[in-house]
Each structure stands twice: as structure tokens, then as C-alpha cells.
Amino acid sequence: MSPAFPLVRTTSPVPEAERAAILAAPEFGRHFTDHMAQALWTPEAGWHDRSVGPLKPFSLHPGTAALHYAQEVFEGLKAYRHADGSVWLFRPERNARRFARSAARMGLPPLPEEDFLASVEALVRADEPWVPVTAGEESLYLRPFMFAAETFLGVRPAERVAYSVIACPTRPYFSAGTGGVALWVSTTYTRAGRGGTGATKCGGNYGASLAAQAEALQHGCDQVLYLDSTDEEGCIEESGAMNLFLVTAAGELVTPALGTILEGVTRDTALTLAPDFGLAPVERPVTFKEFRAGLADGTITEVFAAGTAAVLTPVLGIKGEGYALTVGDGTPGRLTTALRERMLDLQYGRAEDTHGWLRRVL
Ligand SMILES: *Cc1c(COP(=O)(O)O)cnc(C)c1O
């Protein structure tokens, strides 16, 4: 039997009219649902106090360890409403597994995968009215996270750890209408090194990315394309919150090999679906020189970024110190668009789930 996260329903939900207004134009990460899931861990009791209750602020001592040493990890996944009203998760077991791996890397107690799934499902059930009814790409974004909740300034793993799941209705970061993004190739910053936390979904990676993101915006780009070195001799990695893919004229779908990048669920989905579109999936190191030359001579025909929040986002150009390159003809690529549509069709139940990726909640 899966562990229970018993529900204590809020007595002051967001009024229906206000919720309807939020759902009519959901903005990523701005409006939160009525409830949250929670659990606590201590060395003596293990994971305990599982519940779903009213969304409320944490009360934290200023000496709470997470605020000082960033012992924190998180996940991101979505609940999709199908045309018949049912609500589904997409490959949540992968998020559960990755969350446990991230926790282990950060000295946090791994949450059993069944607890992860039970908490996410219990929250979706409690906040069912918040799952958008959609003909487009709206969904309920779910954010499980875990942090060092012990009041202690010493550097050692915390002996009190809080787990929580919150949710917000959302639409994709970049909708199909916005076309795509331009990436800035930073030679000032890297995001990860071997043996570091590049493959861990932890808040610290994101704090460290903000200066690079500011650099990208200053250069008129939307996101950063990270290399694994601060010169252009290295390999391409990812885009900070999205994995990168190249479509080649030879019919390959190439993505950087795992190691210092995050193992994205969307990344694995794209690789698995590639053969349906006549593309051979390839995971290998890609040098920046090869990438730049391929864009210049047209052997790289399409580039896209992949992540839960962004789905697949076409990359239309890259810029770096002293150069700018257009991908293909500067519009979203045919295969990128087709792969994106297929992924959405699967998530929204419009295509047959032959891989068993959907998990019904309601
Ligand atoms: C979450 C994340 C991704 C995308 O992973 P998905 O499982 O596809 O959402 C890519 N890179 C980083 C750094 C991430 O944190």
C-alpha cells in the first residue's frame, strides 16, 4: 500500500471568481493553489508527519541551515487535464528517482519514491479545480522540494529536513506563438564541473546561474548556452534549465552526453521518440567548435532546448563575443515542431500512450 498523505482541507480557498481569472491567464510560478503537501524527517523518526493541508508560510528560525549553506533540492513536473476531464502525470517515476539521487548528492535523506508519488498525487487531488481545462498548453506545475530545516550553523547534513510540494497553474515558458529563443554563449561563466552538482537538481545551481543569465539578457539573448570551459575549446553542455538538442543533415538527433548536465525527463522522451521522426538518437560530447561550424555550414539544421517547464523550445540563433549565428533559416525547424507536437499529444492524451508514460490521478 502506498503511504498516505491525509488531507486537511483549507477553510479559506481562493474565491472561485479569482481562481477562474488566474486560470484564464496562468503565468509560470506566480499564483499558487490552496494546498501543499508536507513531510518531515529526523534521524530518529525517519520520514513522518505526512499530510496535505492549507498552503501556508513556513516559520523559520534565522539560523535555519538551508538559508546559509543551500542544502536544498527540488523537482518540477506537471499534471495535464485530458479532453474527457481526467488528470494525468507524465513519467513521474523518473522525477521521483531523480529527486532521491539529488537528495543523496546534497547529503539529504532520500525520500522513498512511493512517498514522492503519493504526495504529488494527493496534492493534485486536493487541488483538482486548479488543473486547467485546456485546449492549449496549460497545466498544473508541481514543485516538490526538500531543505535543511534544522537550526544550526555547522557544516554537516541537517538532522531535521522538511519536504513539501506546492503547485501553480501554468502555461509553457515559451508558447508556440513566441517562436523560439536566442542563446548567449558565455565565456565568463560555467555551470558545472566534473564531480560537482551539475547533474543535481538543486537550488544552488540556479542561484549561481543568475549572473550568467543577466549577461545573456544584456546581449539581447533569452538564455545562456553553457560550455564546460571558459574558452571556446570546450564542449556544449545545456541551457541552465533545459537540455540541448541538435538535428543534423545526416538524420541524427544529437544531445550532449550525461555527466555534468541534468538528466532531463524531456531529454529522455525526445531521444526515445526520435526514431518515429526518422532521426537516430545520439548521446555524445559535442565540442563548441563542431557546433559552431555545423551551424555555419548547415550540417546542423535545427537546434532546440527541452525541459518540463519549456516543453521543446526552438533555438533560432546563438550569439557570443564577436559573432552571431542563425540556426537554419531562423524559424522553428520542421522536426522540432513535429516532435514538440507529438510530446504534447502524448501528455494531453491525444496520441496513444504506447510507452506507458502516463499515470492517472483523477
Ligand atoms: C529540470 C532541469 C532540466 C530539464 O529536466 P526535465 O526533467 O526535462 O524537466 C534541465 N536542466 C536543468 C539544469 C534542470 O534543472
Side-chain angles (χ1 to χ4, degrees), residues 5-10 19 33-37 52-54 119-131 140 361-362:
F5 281 72
L7 170 65
V8 176
R9 208 167 264 292
T10 180
R19 188 180 71 229
T33 60
D34 291 316
H35 298 93
M36 66 196 292
V52 173
S119 60
V120 165
E121 291 181 0
L123 182 63
V124 172
R125 282 193 204 99
D127 282 328
E128 187 275 337
W130 287 92
V131 185
L140 185 67
V361 182
L362 280 162

Side-chain angles (χ1 to χ4, degrees), residues 98 191 201 206 238 240-243 262 264-266 306-308:
R98 187 171 67 192
R191 73 172 285 283
K201 212 169 174 74
Y206 281 75
E238 62 159 290
M242 299 181 285
N243 294 114
L262 200 88
V265 178
T266 320
T308 298

Side-chain angles (χ1 to χ4, degrees), residues 128-145:
E128 187 275 337
W130 287 92
V131 185
V133 174
T134 177
E137 298 177 11
E138 290 82 14
S139 59
L140 185 67
Y141 183 80
L142 298 152
R143 168 53 58 84
F145 62 105

Side-chain angles (χ1 to χ4, degrees), residues 238-263:
E238 62 159 290
S239 183
M242 299 181 285
N243 294 114
L244 276 177
F245 286 86
L246 326 173
V247 177
T248 68
E252 290 177 329
L253 181 65
V254 181
T255 197
L258 296 176
T260 52
I261 61 169
L262 200 88
E263 186 174 2

Side-chain angles (χ1 to χ4, degrees), residues 137-178:
E137 298 177 11
E138 290 82 14
S139 59
L140 185 67
Y141 183 80
L142 298 152
R143 168 53 58 84
F145 62 105
M146 185 196 290
F147 63 93
E150 185 181 354
T151 301
F152 179 62
L153 290 186
V155 180
R156 59 142 171 82
E159 299 195 337
R160 181 183 170 86
V161 174
Y163 167 70
S164 183
V165 191
I166 54 174
C168 42
T170 185
R171 59 182 159 204
Y173 251 41
F174 312 99
S175 60
T178 61

